[in-house]
């Protein structure tokens, strides 16, 4: 049988958090929550996906390269969700020849001159519909990536993007590194999902738990509570 023509790429949410569920301190500091062994696992996971995706806040704050360096494998396509195209031309995902393997997902609110500048650097700019909050509509983004041959996407953050994928039920799998650290105040890994009782909680089906250096890696398929059995 052939593949379903309208099937979206599979989406894995992968991020590191503290024991109290923080991605970063209140000031945004997040390097490094996880230990080196966990970083190696994260790069192995990158190598197994066609694309790696982050929000523009992560790019502006952390300037990640989003490449595979600590494990064997090819670099995935880099995708930045950036409604108004705030990604600076000096960002690692656009510098030193990286732009040719970078997609910037924007809306009609992205200024024309910024789009043209990114394209001159070699990046592909995808202009997509807005959701109800003026952000890139994620389902449309996934569909556009699928049209370009992308079958698997690893979403690494930040918190707003992770939350949106869960709220819109577009995430298929979770891979969370839990570091033995406490921050108290800080940036929550997952925000409001509109769940008001435990019966509506999202579940991991047959989760695996692996000790990775000083960290714990929890992985599993995401089950949405009113999915058909």
């Amino acid at each position: 049988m052939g593949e379903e023509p309208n099937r979206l790429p599979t989406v894995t949410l992968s991020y590191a958090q503290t024991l109290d569920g923080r991605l970063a301190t209140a000031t945004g500091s997040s390097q490094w929550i996880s230990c080196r062994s966990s970083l190696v696992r994260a790069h192995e996971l990158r190598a197994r996906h066609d694309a790696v995706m982050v929000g523009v806040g992560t790019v502006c704050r952390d300037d990640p390269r989003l490449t595979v360096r600590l494990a064997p494998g090819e670099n995935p396509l880099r995708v930045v969700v950036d409604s108004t195209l705030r990604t600076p031309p000096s960002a690692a995902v656009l510098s030193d020849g990286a732009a040719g393997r970078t997609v910037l997902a924007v809306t009609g609110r992205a200024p024309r001159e910024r789009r043209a500048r990114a394209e001159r650097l070699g990046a592909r700019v995808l202009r997509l519909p807005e959701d109800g909050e003026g952000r890139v509509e994620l389902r449309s983004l996934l569909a556009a990536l699928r049209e370009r041959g992308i079958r698997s996407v690893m979403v690494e953050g930040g918190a707003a993007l992770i939350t949106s994928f869960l709220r819109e039920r577009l995430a298929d799998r979770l891979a969370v590194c839990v570091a033995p650290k406490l921050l108290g105040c800080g940036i929550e890994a997952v925000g409001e999902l509109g769940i008001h009782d435990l019966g509506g909680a999202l579940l991991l089906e047959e989760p695996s738990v692996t000790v990775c250096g000083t960290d714990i890696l929890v992985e599993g398929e995401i089950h949405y509570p009113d999915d058909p059995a």
Side-chain angles (χ1 to χ4, degrees):
M1 296 177 62
E3 294 184 356
E4 297 177 42
N6 297 321
R7 183 173 174 82
L8 298 177
T10 58
V11 174
T12 299
L13 305 181
S14 177
Y15 55 90
Q17 67 171 45
T18 60
L19 278 174
D20 50 351
R22 308 297 180 181
L23 287 179
T25 66
T27 60
S29 175
S30 62
Q31 295 179 326
W32 299 96
I33 284 179
S34 56
C35 69
R36 182 173 176 81
S37 295
S38 295
L39 291 174
V40 171
R41 289 290 293 268
H43 280 232
E44 290 172 348
L45 194 58
R46 279 183 187 173
R48 297 202 298 268
H49 285 78
D50 295 331
V52 58
M53 182 185 297
V54 296
V56 65
T58 297
V59 170
C60 292
R61 182 180 63 249
D62 299 334
D63 196 22
R65 284 181 276 177
L66 303 179
T67 56
V68 177
R69 303 182 303 280
L70 303 180
E74 298 295 324
N75 291 329
L77 180 73
R78 292 173 287 271
V79 181
V80 180
V81 183
D82 187 358
S83 300
T84 58
L85 227 178
R86 294 190 290 124
T87 300
S90 59
V93 294
L94 296 179
S95 303
D96 300 323
R101 287 283 293 164
T102 297
V103 169
L104 300 171
V106 308
T107 69
R109 295 189 297 122
R112 182 179 301 174
E113 64 274 15
R114 293 186 197 171
R115 300 201 308 266
R117 181 179 62 190
E119 288 171 339
R120 285 195 299 270
L121 290 172
R124 180 184 293 274
V125 179
L126 288 181
R127 185 173 173 179
L128 297 160
E130 297 181 10
D131 64 12
E133 299 177 352
R135 299 173 178 173
V136 170
E137 187 179 81
L138 295 179
R139 184 174 292 275
S140 296
L141 171 54
L142 291 176
L145 292 175
R146 179 71 182 196
E147 289 177 358
R148 289 159 175 79
I150 299 300
R151 289 171 170 76
S152 60
V153 178
M154 177 179 173
V155 177
E156 295 194 10
L161 192 60
I162 290 167
T163 302
S164 292
F165 268 98
L166 290 170
R167 189 172 57 239
E168 297 177 31
R169 301 184 169 216
L170 293 172
D172 302 288
R173 186 171 179 82
L174 201 63
V176 179
C177 167
V178 182
K181 300 173 182 177
L182 296 168
L183 287 178
C185 293
I187 298 173
E188 295 178 335
V190 179
E192 175 59 49
L193 296 178
I195 298 171
H196 303 294
D197 60 70
L198 285 176
L202 310 187
L203 304 174
L204 287 191
E205 294 185 332
E206 299 182 3
S208 66
V209 179
T210 307
V211 176
C212 196
T214 58
D215 302 336
I216 296 172
L217 183 65
V218 182
E219 299 179 271
E221 302 293 325
I222 301 172
H223 172 74
Y224 298 96
D226 57 354
D227 280 355

